[in-house]
Amino acid sequence: NGALSIAGLPGNPVSFSAANVDVRSNDAGSVDKYVNVDSTPSDAMHLFFTDNEQSLMATGLQLTVGSFVTVTGNFGFQAFTDPNNSAVTDVVIGASNVNVTLGNNTTNLSIVGASLGLLILPGAKTYALVASGGVDTLNGIPGLSISASGLTVKVNTTGVDPTTLTGLPDSIVTPDGSLPLDFSGIGSDDITAVEGTLDLSIAGFISLHGDFSFQTFKDSNNSNDIIIGAQGVNATLGTATTYLSITGASLQLVIVPG
């Protein structure tokens, strides 16, 4: 039990807090045996490892990435040797039953019931994150609503494609079981984006359905604004009985939270 933190990412700090943490550490290779902890045989602990391992699991953990991304869920952590520097240990994190908030307390995009993978490269002080699945909602913008399922969140500041890293695990154990880690499609570019198919309503008069992409950027006031782009859009302008319909369109929208 206790609090967790990761230091060394000054531009984009990553912090953790959790009440329940299970730590796994093994340098003896494959292990499968029971260890008595008291005089009662049924209380013996089962030590099971398929190989050397440095990992931990945390239930109900909260993860904060910078000041714009907050994540809660059931997490698994695993360390591996950096492929470019054997003296550096990289960290990969997997999580299930995840709730994600991108934005501030009043204006944000929320994702409920998703899964995620997070790669942290302490030597370069960078990270990459992918979250997918769940139910998604835009909050805090009067007259503008978004509902969707299966959106994908992508953040990458590493400058490399995570799938090219030697030693990166294919899966990680979480409190909910083994979770595949999938960084495919994130690429090597510096990116903070949300992509997927969704429905959007503006002022109860315009309805849109299509494939959308959201990206953040800092404006001249150093505030996080949001760009929304879409293609394959079907739009309806008007009421349920009197309206103009548009099929197969594209759009661009800039949101300045203020």
Side-chain angles (χ1 to χ4, degrees), residues 185-252:
I186 196 172
S188 59
D189 292 338
D190 191 330
I191 186 174
T192 300
V194 181
E195 302 174 348
T197 302
L198 54 81
D199 294 284
L200 181 148
S201 175
I202 302 175
F205 189 75
I206 302 175
S207 298
L208 305 174
H209 171 85
D211 297 325
F212 284 74
S213 175
F214 301 74
Q215 293 195 31
T216 64
F217 70 98
K218 287 189 179 297
D219 61 23
S220 57
N221 296 318
N222 204 36
S223 297
N224 285 309
D225 299 337
I226 302 172
I227 287 182
I228 303 175
Q231 61 182 1
V233 175
N234 297 330
T236 302
L237 296 82
T239 67
T241 57
T242 304
Y243 58 86
L244 172 67
S245 64
I246 302 173
T247 303
S250 61
L251 69 84
Q252 294 181 339

Side-chain angles (χ1 to χ4, degrees), residues 17 37 51 61 63 67 87 107 129 184 191 198 226 239 255:
S17 63
V37 295
D51 204 345
L61 182 147
L63 159 69
S67 60
T107 305
L129 179 148
S184 61
I191 186 174
L198 54 81
I226 302 172
T239 67
I255 298 174

Side-chain angles (χ1 to χ4, degrees), residues 29-122:
S30 177
V31 176
D32 185 4
K33 68 178 181 178
Y34 287 86
V35 178
N36 292 322
V37 295
D38 55 29
S39 59
T40 304
S42 61
D43 291 339
M45 295 184 63
H46 185 198
L47 295 182
F48 180 78
F49 296 91
T50 59
D51 204 345
N52 293 347
E53 181 180 333
Q54 301 292 327
S55 65
L56 63 84
M57 294 186 294
T59 302
L61 182 147
Q62 178 170 302
L63 159 69
T64 301
V65 183
S67 60
F68 195 71
V69 181
T70 301
V71 183
T72 60
N74 298 325
F75 285 68
F77 300 73
Q78 188 168 328
F80 67 99
T81 301
D82 188 280
N84 298 315
N85 186 346
S86 60
V88 175
T89 298
D90 299 333
V91 179
V92 65
I93 302 170
S96 55
N97 291 320
V98 173
N99 299 331
V100 183
T101 301
L102 295 91
N104 55 41
N105 290 334
T106 58
T107 305
N108 58 69
L109 178 68
S110 65
I111 302 172
V112 178
S115 61
L116 73 81
L118 173 64
L119 168 68
I120 299 175
L121 306 181

